[in-house]
Amino acid sequence: MAEKIYYWIKLRMDFFKSPAVKLLRRMSGGDTYALIYLEMILLSLENNGFIYFTGIGKDMADEISLVLDEKKIDVEFLLSFLTNKKMIEFSDPNVFKFSEDVTEGLIGKEQSSAKRVRAWRKRQKALQSNSDVTTSNTELEKELDIEKEIDIDKDIKKETKKKVRHKHGHYGIVLLTDDQFEKLKNEFPNDWERWIERVDGYCQSTGKKYKDYLATIRNWSKKDKKKSNSFAGATDEKAYDDMPF
């Protein structure tokens, strides 16, 4: 079985802007003539740009109108127009061809097997594109997961850093986190060091420990302000509720 051959034409971007086509379309019924013109070019593809009179119709115009299912009067006018503009050339009354400048670069063909291969390649390209998108999405998800893990690690380190208490004072008994240490310096800008040493020395001499040394310093400071007038210089810790002077 002979392999089927497909033909096509490729219109130039300026096809409808060419002087001949523009003149043709300006005439009454011009759009119909332009359509028949394209149909005739398609009809000539199997014969390399030639159209032959086979005797089915009364004459060339009659046969073309029958094949294209167009009015004979329109085909007759178009054949006369194309001949005058040297866009077709009759070698005899029974055959004509489109001039080379009309069909040059417009006509193409391929066998059915080539068409199938082209369609297969197009499908493969689409599948590959989908695969690339899927792979890209998978890689993106992995990157997002890694970024989330990094952010979580950073948050954990930040929280850990906040909770770690560092030793302060001469004996290293006062324990403060970085956050607490900063708060202490902000609340007691002029004497934070004195408060640390005061609590540190007291704990060293008494063996006493506190859960929250910042809170202890705050409490001592409040009591110090309340009792400083009546107990200035006192050394009785009980009078100050464990706050030495």
Side-chain angles (χ1 to χ4, degrees):
M1 181 177 178
E3 194 169 24
K4 192 172 183 179
I5 298 177
Y6 297 87
Y7 295 87
W8 68 84
I9 61 172
K10 296 182 292 184
L11 294 182
R12 295 188 300 269
M13 291 184 64
D14 62 348
F15 176 82
F16 288 101
K17 293 182 180 180
S18 64
V21 175
K22 289 176 71 173
L23 178 61
L24 187 64
R25 295 188 66 198
R26 285 182 180 179
M27 299 177 180
S28 178
D31 289 338
T32 299
Y33 299 145
L35 177 61
I36 296 174
Y37 175 41
L38 289 174
E39 289 181 307
M40 286 171 55
I41 293 176
L42 287 170
L43 185 62
S44 73
L45 296 186
E46 291 188 46
N47 297 309
N48 296 320
F50 285 86
I51 291 181
Y52 297 92
F53 175 61
T54 63
I56 295 178
K58 296 179 182 179
D59 52 32
M60 179 69 79
D62 186 59
E63 186 166 300
I64 291 175
S65 67
L66 180 64
V67 173
L68 300 181
D69 197 19
E70 300 287 352
K71 294 179 181 180
K72 179 179 179 181
I73 189 172
D74 292 334
V75 176
E76 286 177 332
F77 175 83
L78 182 59
L79 287 174
S80 176
F81 176 85
L82 295 176
T83 301
N84 290 334
K85 300 302 180 184
K86 301 187 184 303
M87 297 171 72
I88 60 174
E89 301 170 359
F90 278 88
S91 54
D92 63 58
N94 295 324
V95 59
F96 71 85
K97 71 181 290 292
F98 287 93
S99 58
E100 291 185 1
D101 60 336
V102 172
T103 58
E104 183 180 11
L106 295 182
I107 301 173
K109 66 179 180 179
E110 68 177 357
Q111 294 180 331
S112 57
S113 59
K115 184 179 180 180
R116 289 194 298 272
V117 170
R118 186 159 53 87
W120 178 82
R121 287 176 177 171
K122 186 176 181 180
R123 288 195 300 271
Q124 291 298 112
K125 186 176 181 180
L127 290 174
Q128 180 62 40
S129 178
N130 291 336
S131 175
D132 291 342
V133 171
T134 301
T135 302
S136 177
N137 289 337
T138 301
E139 292 298 324
L140 179 59
E141 290 173 0
K142 289 181 179 179
E143 290 178 4
L144 291 176
D145 288 339
I146 292 173
E147 288 180 0
K148 287 180 181 179
E149 291 178 0
I150 292 173
D151 290 338
I152 291 172
D153 288 341
K154 287 181 179 179
D155 291 339
I156 292 174
K157 288 179 180 179
K158 286 180 181 178
E159 290 299 320
T160 302
K161 187 177 181 181
K162 288 181 180 180
K163 293 179 180 179
V164 172
R165 299 200 298 174
H166 303 285
K167 296 179 180 180
H168 295 273
H170 179 75
Y171 301 104
I173 296 175
V174 176
L175 301 176
L176 297 170
T177 64
D178 291 338
D179 185 53
Q180 288 177 325
F181 186 57
E182 290 301 319
K183 289 180 179 179
L184 176 65
K185 290 193 293 183
N186 290 331
E187 293 177 25
F188 303 92
N190 298 321
D191 57 353
W192 59 271
E193 290 178 303
R194 182 177 66 84
W195 277 110
I196 288 177
E197 293 300 332
R198 188 172 178 182
V199 175
D200 185 58
Y202 174 71
C203 292
Q204 174 66 18
S205 63
T206 62
K208 194 173 182 65
K209 303 292 183 182
Y210 293 96
K211 291 182 178 180
D212 190 330
Y213 286 90
L214 177 61
T216 299
I217 293 173
R218 286 170 175 166
N219 290 334
W220 283 23
S221 175
K222 290 178 182 178
K223 292 177 182 180
D224 190 13
K225 289 177 181 179
K226 290 180 180 179
K227 300 179 181 181
S228 60
N229 292 331
S230 57
F231 294 95
T235 56
D236 184 5
E237 283 81 4
K238 291 183 180 180
Y240 288 81
D241 191 15
D242 291 340
M243 186 180 71
F245 290 92

